[in-house]
Amino acid sequence: MREQLADSVKQEFTYAWEQYVRNAWGHDALKPISHSYYDWYSHPLLMTPLDGFDTMLLMGLKSQADSAKTLLLDSLRFDEDISVSGFEVTIRMLGGLLSAYEMDGDKRFLKLAVDLAGRLIKAFDTPTGIPYRFINLKTGKATGNLTNPAEAGTMLLEYGTLTALTGDSLYYKTAKRAVEAIYSRRSKKTGLVGSQIDVMTGVWVDRESSISGGTDSYYEYLLKAWKLFGDEDCKGMWDSSILAINRHLADTSKGMLWYGRAEMDTGIINRPLYGALDAFFAGMLAMGGDTIRAIALQKSNYKMWTSADLEPETLNYRTMRITDGYYALRPENLESCYYLYQYTRDPAYLSMGAEMFRSLVRYCRTEGGYAAIKDVRNMVPDDLMESYFLAETLKYAYLLFAPEHTLDFSEVVFNTEAHPFRRHPSSTSPDGSPKT
Ligand code: DMJ
C-alpha cells in the first residue's frame, strides 16, 4: 500500500515534469491550461528545474535529473539586470543550489550559490540590518522599504549552510542580525511581532500578528536554525516566541485548535482566519516537542482540507466559512502530515496524506500538467503550476510513503522550500556562538 502510493506520487511527478519539458522548458514555471510558460522576471531563472532537482534525486529519476542538471549548469546565470525578491530567490534558488550541491556533489552548484548569495546579500545594507525586499542582481540596487518578518527572516538556513560550506561567517552573521533586529522589535507586552516593518526605521507599519504568510517562516527558521546548527540564541528566540504564540494566537472553536490573527500589543484576535499556509505550524509544533498541540492542529488541518475536498487559502474557523477559496497547489498540509508521521509513527497520517494526494490528482491534474484551483467550491483550474509543487508538495507526499532509507529524517533539516540541508557537525554555530 505505502509502496504503491510512493510509486503513484513518483509517476505524477514524472507527468508534471514531462509537461514542463514539453511546454515550458528553459522557463520558470509551467502554465498547464494554456500549455505555455510563465517567467517571474524579464530573464528566466529556471525556478522549476532547480526547485524540482533534489526531488528527482530522492525519487531516483536519473534521466530527468540529468537533463535538469545540464540545463541548470549550461544556462543559469545571475549577472542580469532584474530586480528580484530576496526571499523567494533565497528559498527556491539558493536553497535549491545548496541542496543540489550537497546531494549531487558537483562543485558548480556551490559556485553558482556563492555567486547568487554575493548578489543577494547587498539587500541587507540598511540602518536596521533588516533587508530590503528586492535587489537588482546586476546593479545591486535595493528597493522595497516595507517588508515582513518572513521575507526578512528566512535566510538563516541558506546563509548558514553557505557559511558551513565556505567557511565565510559573514553570510550567517548577516542573516542572523536581520532576525535579531525583527525579534528585538517584538511587542514588550505580548512578545508578538507585527506583519509589516520599515527596514529604514524599524517601525512596524502593520501591527497585526499571525503565524500565517508573511510571518510563517520567520518562526520556522528560529526553530530550524537551532535544529540545523545548534544555535542556542535561535532556540532562545523560538522558546519565547512559541510561548507568546500559544498564549495569544492559539484559539479553540468547537473543541478544535486553530491559530488566529491578533493585534500585536493586545493579543486580541480580531480576525479568526486560518488557511493553507498556516497548516505548516502543526509540523513545527511537533518539531518543537509539543506533540499534543501538533496532533490537535493536524486534526484541524485535515478538517480544513476535507471540508471542501481540497483546502482553501483561508477560512473563518469559527463559522467554517471559506473566505478565500483559491488553492495554489500548496504543500503545507502534506508537509505537516509528513512531520507528524515522523514524530509519532501513527499510521493515521499515512491515511490522511493518501487522501490529500488522491484529491490533488482528482482535481488538479489536467492534460497540461498540474493546475492551481481558482475556488475549491467549484474546482475550476487556474493556469499555473508553481515550482514549489515539485519542490515541496510532491516531495513531502513521496517521502511520507517512501521507504525510510530514501532520506534519513534525523540527518537533515528542510528549508522552507523543502530543500534538505545536511546537519554539519561542529562545536560552534556558523557565527561562532555556542551550540548544544
Ligand atoms: C513556498 O514557497 C514556501 O513553502 C514558503 O515558505 C511559503 N509559500 C510557498 C508554498 O506555499
Side-chain angles (χ1 to χ4, degrees):
M1 161 77 170
R2 272 183 80 174
E3 210 175 302
Q4 272 171 358
L5 279 162
D7 209 50
S8 302
V9 178
K10 191 166 156 176
Q11 275 174 31
E12 293 312 307
F13 181 99
T14 310
Y15 173 71
W17 173 250
E18 276 167 11
Q19 301 306 312
Y20 169 83
V21 170
R22 182 167 304 146
N23 291 312
W25 183 253
H27 294 279
D28 287 342
L30 171 69
K31 293 182 82 170
I33 308 300
S34 56
H35 296 203
S36 61
Y37 58 82
Y38 168 75
D39 284 317
W40 285 49
Y41 309 107
S42 57
H43 178 85
L45 290 174
L46 307 175
M47 299 258 188
T48 295
L50 184 52
D51 241 359
F53 180 67
D54 58 16
T55 311
M56 295 171 196
L57 296 179
L58 288 169
M59 290 180 172
L61 294 170
K62 187 160 176 354
S63 68
Q64 290 87 342
D66 285 347
S67 61
K69 179 175 172 178
T70 305
L71 173 66
L72 291 167
L73 294 179
D74 284 355
S75 316
L76 197 53
R77 299 288 174 270
F78 298 122
D79 194 29
E80 301 294 341
D81 191 4
I82 50 177
S83 190
V84 306
S85 156
F87 164 74
E88 295 289 358
V89 169
T90 297
I91 66 170
R92 298 185 197 219
M93 308 215 47
L94 187 56
L97 287 167
L98 291 167
S99 71
Y101 171 65
E102 288 197 336
M103 288 171 70
D104 174 90
D106 193 316
K107 285 217 163 68
R108 288 173 293 176
F109 285 123
L110 181 59
K111 203 168 161 218
L112 280 164
V114 170
D115 178 27
L116 178 58
R119 297 169 191 276
L120 295 173
I121 206 167
K122 293 179 183 150
F124 288 81
D125 188 10
T126 63
T128 58
I130 301 170
Y132 289 99
R133 280 186 76 204
F134 304 102
I135 184 81
N136 185 300
L137 290 182
K138 192 185 191 76
T139 65
K141 185 174 164 31
T143 50
N145 288 20
L146 299 186
T147 191
N148 54 62
E151 292 192 57
T154 310
M155 279 102 177
L156 279 175
L157 263 55
E158 295 78 7
Y159 282 43
T161 297
L162 206 48
T163 288
L165 292 171
T166 61
D168 184 348
S169 64
L170 183 70
Y171 299 117
Y172 192 68
K173 280 185 176 153
T174 306
K176 190 165 162 183
R177 182 172 166 239
V179 167
E180 287 172 333
I182 301 271
Y183 178 77
S184 68
R185 288 169 173 84
R186 70 197 182 283
S187 164
K188 300 290 166 279
K189 294 184 189 126
T190 63
L192 296 171
V193 295
S195 53
Q196 199 174 41
I197 194 163
D198 188 320
V199 305
M200 304 305 282
T201 61
V203 171
W204 292 107
V205 176
D206 185 331
R207 305 183 70 83
E208 186 176 71
S209 190
S210 78
I211 55 150
S212 199
T215 307
D216 44 9
S217 45
Y218 157 76
Y219 290 128
E220 176 184 345
Y221 272 29
L222 294 179
L223 178 60
K224 287 183 171 176
W226 173 55
K227 290 279 172 188
L228 183 58
F229 307 121
D231 187 325
E232 282 292 314
D233 299 334
C234 291
K235 182 181 188 302
M237 291 189 271
W238 163 260
D239 286 346
S240 83
S241 300
I242 191 66
L243 274 179
I245 291 168
N246 281 328
R247 185 167 301 145
H248 301 290
L249 303 182
D251 199 5
T252 45
S253 176
K254 299 188 187 81
M256 302 199 77
L257 176 65
W258 303 93
Y259 286 80
R261 303 182 188 186
E263 207 281 327
M264 68 184 275
D265 285 315
T266 62
I268 293 170
I269 294 179
N270 295 317
R271 296 204 300 157
L273 298 180
Y274 187 89
L277 283 165
D278 306 64
F280 85 106
F281 207 63
M284 290 308 95
L285 287 165
M287 182 182 266
D290 188 348
T291 318
I292 291 174
R293 279 197 187 85
I295 290 171
L297 192 62
Q298 190 54 23
K299 205 170 152 201
S300 307
N301 284 347
Y302 186 61
K303 187 175 169 65
M304 171 170 74
W305 186 286
T306 47
S307 61
D309 230 9
L310 206 57
E311 64 183 353
E313 185 70 358
T314 52
L315 54 73
N316 180 318
Y317 55 77
R318 291 187 189 149
T319 61
M320 288 310 281
R321 291 262 297 272
I322 292 173
T323 47
D324 179 351
Y326 200 84
Y327 174 60
L329 294 172
R330 291 201 189 281
E332 289 78 3
N333 214 325
L334 269 162
E335 173 184 354
S336 280
C337 243
Y338 169 69
Y339 279 105
L340 263 292
Y341 183 68
Q342 291 299 324
Y343 287 109
T344 67
R345 295 287 162 190
D346 183 341
Y349 298 111
L350 298 174
S351 311
M352 257 184 211
E355 195 167 331
M356 290 183 203
F357 172 63
R358 278 191 209 106
S359 52
L360 269 178
V361 178
R362 181 158 176 210
Y363 300 113
C364 305
R365 192 186 212 269
T366 71
E367 57 179 47
Y370 271 77
I373 298 292
K374 285 184 180 163
D375 195 319
V376 295
R377 288 162 290 195
N378 57 29
M379 300 296 182
V380 174
D382 197 15
D383 199 10
L384 186 59
M385 186 179 88
E386 277 274 7
S387 67
Y388 58 67
F389 183 63
L390 300 190
E392 296 191 74
T393 315
L394 292 182
K395 183 185 284 141
Y396 286 124
Y398 180 71
L399 290 175
L400 179 63
F401 307 123
E404 302 304 325
H405 63 77
T406 307
L407 182 73
D408 186 340
F409 180 70
S410 66
E411 281 186 2
V412 298
V413 173
F414 293 93
N415 88 335
T416 193
E417 192 78 0
H419 296 302
F421 294 159
R422 230 180 274 146
R423 292 171 189 246
H424 291 269
S426 81
S427 54
T428 57
S429 67
D431 62 345
S433 60
K435 61 187 272 184
T436 34

